[in-house]
Amino acid sequence: MPDVDFAGKCVLVTGAASGIGRAAAIEFAARGARVVLGDLDEAGGEETARIVRRGAGEALFVRVDVSRDADVAALIAAGAERYGRIDCAFNNAGIEEEGQRLADCSEATFDRVLGVNLKGVWLCMKHEIAHMLPKGGGAIVNTASVAALIGAPNQSAYAASKHGVVGLTKTAALEYGRDGIRVNAVCPGVIRTPMMDRGIARRPEIEQLIPRLHPIGRAGEAAEVAAAAVWLASDAASFVTGHALAVDGGLTAI
Ligand code: NAP
């Protein structure tokens, strides 16, 4: 059976300065991958790179705004130059939406959320696939959300962006399956990260709701989403593509 082993492979992770992205970068590196870390947050990204190196891994941090084509192209070029090729990518950078009903959501908010969460994933996939095609294949995992599978009241832009991520994931899986490129998504429930902390700071009552939302009775940990992303990117998932995997403590099973 194929192993969850990344020895000799290079993995790109966006949103790597914090939360799920940092946990995934550490987990990929622990399994032997050299990691290329992209994020807007330079201090956090460099700190993730230091954590990986302290564990005897190899890491390169590149500041990137995933909503900008030139930035994404430069990230992939820098990774390819340093490590020769990029075998896998975890397109995870994303932003939340401050809650309001759809009619109260401004055009600027809609454009900002879609720009990072949807266009950012599209740009990353566009450049990653162009890089992977001549190398004979690769594996891509995108971070969506439970808000990609069900509606999310007061999060219309966020839900639209994450439903879009699943649409991109499935479409790319169909288009590039025969080229050896697998494309999947993870759909996290509420996960303990700085993003969750900001949500609770805005609406403290959410904290009481979180255990009730998840049949498992608690929020998830970043490492639990990272483990799913690592498995989907690995050869152990060699027959899995076009899948949106809920990592949600049962939230969407209700
Ligand atoms: P996080 O702790 O806020 O980490 C997100 C990282 O992405 C931050 O370092 C952030 O930098 C970076 N980022 C934001 N915009 C960027 C851009 N334009 N270009 C590059 N990097 C950018 O959040 P997280 O909880 O780990 O979230 C990771 C992913 O999981 C997101 O896609 C999120 O939507 C998804 N998700 C999270 C949850 C949850 O409950 N935490 C649930 C479902 C899905 P700055 O700090 O500088 O903005």
Side-chain angles (χ1 to χ4, degrees):
M1 170 163 136
D3 200 3
V4 186
D5 176 20
F6 289 84
K9 289 191 175 172
C10 172
V11 180
L12 174 76
V13 179
T14 69
S18 178
I20 294 167
R22 172 175 286 174
I26 292 167
E27 189 59 28
F28 277 116
R31 291 172 180 277
R34 294 164 293 174
V35 289
V36 179
L37 312 174
D39 205 288
L40 264 183
D41 172 1
E42 281 195 71
E46 292 292 6
E47 176 59 15
T48 303
R50 275 193 292 276
I51 294 168
V52 167
R53 290 185 200 116
R54 276 203 296 272
E58 280 187 61
L60 169 70
F61 171 71
V62 180
R63 187 186 181 279
V64 65
D65 178 346
V66 294
S67 68
R68 293 171 55 95
D69 182 77
D71 278 24
V72 175
L75 170 69
I76 285 152
E81 189 185 327
R82 172 71 68 97
Y83 297 125
R85 60 184 283 164
I86 292 164
D87 301 282
C88 305
F90 182 35
N91 300 318
N92 163 78
I95 55 174
E96 70 271 35
E97 175 183 3
E98 291 188 16
Q100 67 278 294
R101 291 198 292 174
L102 188 149
D104 300 317
C105 177
S106 69
E107 185 181 3
T109 295
F110 189 84
D111 287 347
R112 188 172 57 84
V113 173
L114 273 285
V116 176
N117 292 4
L118 182 57
K119 184 184 167 195
V121 168
W122 174 73
L123 279 174
C124 287
M125 288 176 69
K126 183 174 157 67
H127 288 283
E128 289 153 6
I129 289 168
H131 172 85
M132 288 171 178
L133 277 174
K135 317 256 182 222
I140 295 173
V141 181
N142 300 315
T143 301
S145 166
V146 289
L149 305 175
I150 55 176
N154 301 315
Q155 299 279 318
S156 57
Y158 187 81
S161 72
K162 295 299 189 178
H163 274 71
V165 167
V166 171
L168 290 177
T169 299
K170 291 181 176 178
T171 300
L174 298 179
E175 290 178 350
Y176 295 102
R178 284 184 171 74
D179 297 299
I181 301 175
R182 293 184 303 104
V183 189
N184 291 289
V186 286
C187 299
V190 180
I191 308 298
R192 291 200 176 280
T193 69
M195 182 182 283
M196 185 192 100
D197 295 340
R198 289 190 296 271
I200 290 173
R202 274 194 301 272
R203 286 184 55 206
E205 69 276 13
I206 292 176
E207 190 152 24
Q208 312 302 322
L209 274 177
I210 289 172
R212 278 192 276 143
L213 271 176
H214 302 83
I216 276 183
R218 60 172 176 84
E221 300 295 332
E224 294 176 305
V225 182
V230 165
W231 180 75
L232 283 169
S234 78
D235 290 342
S238 51
F239 202 53
V240 182
T241 196
H243 186 59
L245 178 64
V247 187
D248 67 352
L251 188 152
T252 53
I254 292 173

